[in-house]
Amino acid sequence: MLSNLVLRSKGNEISSVPQARRLMRDYSSAGIVSANFMVHDFHRLDIAPLQQIMVNGFEECGMRCVAVPSCFSVNVAAFADIKENTLCFPFHWKLDGKDKHINFRGASKFDLQCGQRVLFLNGSPGTFAETSAVPIHTTDFTIGLWIRLIDFSYQQPIFGDWSSPFSFRLFVEQNGSWCFQARDRSGVDLYDNCTDSKDFVTGKRWSHVAVTWNRSYKRVRLFTNGEIKVESYLAPNGPIDIMNSGHSVYDIGLKRDSGTVAHAYFSDLIIFDRECSFSQSVNEIKDNIFSKHSLHNFI
């Protein structure tokens, strides 16, 4: 199994945890930057990453880190995939109270549910969580997380960047279907669609939702519990970039323009800057994200 390979930002965590320290000398006048990486096999620096990509090995990942001024370490997968590629960089927040680079607002707290600590938002005003913004506006991407809804009396925000200028959001309608909406750089809806089925029920049932975006094919896919529910193709000559709001945070359980907050439990938010594979023989979301998570026993 691949472990995470992650591009990290400079911070106190780097100096106190030396698993992947970067020693860099900057020849700025000559346009040259060099770096020496200290390798620690089968260790991982556990802070939120800046970016995730597939590379051809450690050397390429190191070169990409050197090119980013705020990068001071990388986590490299221990093994390559069948195409000899290595995972470089996911964004992952467990939402168990131990995440870095995340803010918990209002009455947000952590409860033990189904054998693990998860985030609980009680629906009271100002109760939500903020992650650091992720650069997915000009890339393919996959966004997925676990949610257990408590209230269906109103539209429930899941995750997004939804205040002027609006970028994207995931949310659940009152009928139990869930939706993904994104706007292009001109502020016009690039995509706005929902699943047809009632994928959510209140109570003790968990659901995993995921959206993928492929720029080359202009393809959006919506998944519930690892199963594809919607596949849409945008107009071939239309835009492919999502609005970059410039906001520094994204919101869990908040529709920021209206202040609407969720009444729900959340767990394991993960973002890739690629489209997870799906075909008759391959379903990465089901096989690598959904089925291997302990909450899949409580859907």
Side-chain angles (χ1 to χ4, degrees):
M1 179 185 299
L2 291 179
S3 61
N4 292 343
L5 185 162
V6 185
L7 178 64
R8 304 297 184 179
S9 61
K10 181 180 180 181
N12 293 332
E13 299 87 357
I14 301 295
S15 61
S16 62
V17 183
Q19 278 84 352
R21 183 177 299 158
R22 170 184 168 185
L23 304 177
M24 182 179 73
R25 186 176 181 184
D26 187 355
Y27 300 88
S28 56
S29 60
I32 300 172
V33 177
S34 66
N36 294 320
F37 289 90
M38 299 170 59
V39 178
H40 296 260
D41 292 335
F42 303 106
H43 289 78
R44 179 170 65 91
L45 185 59
D46 190 16
I47 62 173
L50 296 174
Q51 190 181 5
Q52 170 258 307
I53 58 172
M54 298 297 292
V55 295
N56 291 322
F58 174 80
E59 291 80 6
E60 181 181 347
C61 191
M63 291 294 292
R64 288 180 180 256
C65 179
V66 170
V68 179
S70 58
C71 177
F72 281 78
S73 69
V74 295
N75 282 344
V76 182
F79 307 99
D81 65 12
I82 59 175
K83 295 181 180 180
E84 300 301 322
N85 291 324
T86 305
L87 184 62
C88 185
F89 320 136
F91 299 83
H92 184 196
W93 295 270
K94 289 187 177 181
L95 305 181
D96 61 356
K98 299 178 181 179
D99 296 306
K100 306 289 195 304
H101 307 292
I102 189 167
N103 301 312
F104 301 102
R105 305 298 188 185
S108 59
K109 66 176 185 177
F110 300 91
D111 282 345
L112 186 64
Q113 297 287 322
C114 304
Q116 65 184 68
R117 278 169 56 88
V118 299
L119 173 65
F120 178 57
L121 305 179
N122 66 5
S124 63
T127 298
F128 60 95
E130 298 172 330
T131 72
S132 54
V134 177
I136 58 173
H137 314 96
T138 59
T139 68
D140 296 354
F141 62 77
T142 298
I143 302 172
L145 77 164
W146 289 87
I147 179 171
R148 175 186 150 198
L149 284 181
I150 305 301
D151 191 347
F152 268 139
S153 63
Y154 61 99
Q155 188 187 90
Q156 296 270 347
I158 300 177
F159 178 67
D161 177 19
W162 205 250
S163 60
S164 182
F166 303 90
S167 182
F168 74 95
R169 65 176 180 139
L170 289 72
F171 60 97
V172 181
E173 289 285 15
Q174 288 179 263
N175 66 1
S177 65
W178 79 271
C179 315
F180 174 67
Q181 183 178 8
R183 291 185 177 173
D184 63 25
R185 292 190 295 177
S186 65
V188 176
D189 275 346
L190 182 69
Y191 183 85
D192 185 7
N193 203 355
C194 303
T195 61
D196 293 330
S197 58
K198 182 178 180 179
D199 292 317
F200 288 87
V201 296
T202 57
K204 295 185 178 181
R205 173 177 164 180
W206 282 87
S207 295
H208 183 267
V209 298
V211 55
T212 67
W213 165 236
N214 184 301
R215 289 162 58 86
S216 297
Y217 293 102
K218 295 192 174 182
R219 179 175 60 213
V220 180
R221 289 170 170 157
L222 305 183
F223 294 78
T224 306
N225 295 334
E227 302 294 339
I228 189 167
K229 299 291 185 176
V230 175
E231 181 174 85
S232 299
Y233 290 83
L234 279 59
N237 297 322
I240 57 175
D241 290 344
I242 290 177
M243 170 68 78
N244 185 348
S245 68
H247 299 150
S248 61
V249 296
Y250 296 159
D251 301 310
I252 300 172
L254 171 69
K255 185 173 180 284
R256 190 173 285 263
D257 64 326
S258 63
T260 303
V261 293
H263 189 187
Y265 293 92
F266 295 86
S267 182
D268 278 293
L269 168 63
I270 188 165
I271 302 175
F272 298 91
D273 64 347
R274 65 181 180 90
E275 178 196 45
C276 283
S277 298
F278 175 80
S279 67
Q280 290 184 343
S281 59
V282 176
N283 184 342
E284 279 193 285
I285 290 175
K286 182 176 183 178
D287 296 337
N288 296 337
I289 300 176
F290 170 75
S291 298
K292 293 181 180 179
H293 198 284
S294 61
L295 290 177
H296 90 275
N297 295 313
F298 301 94
I299 64 169

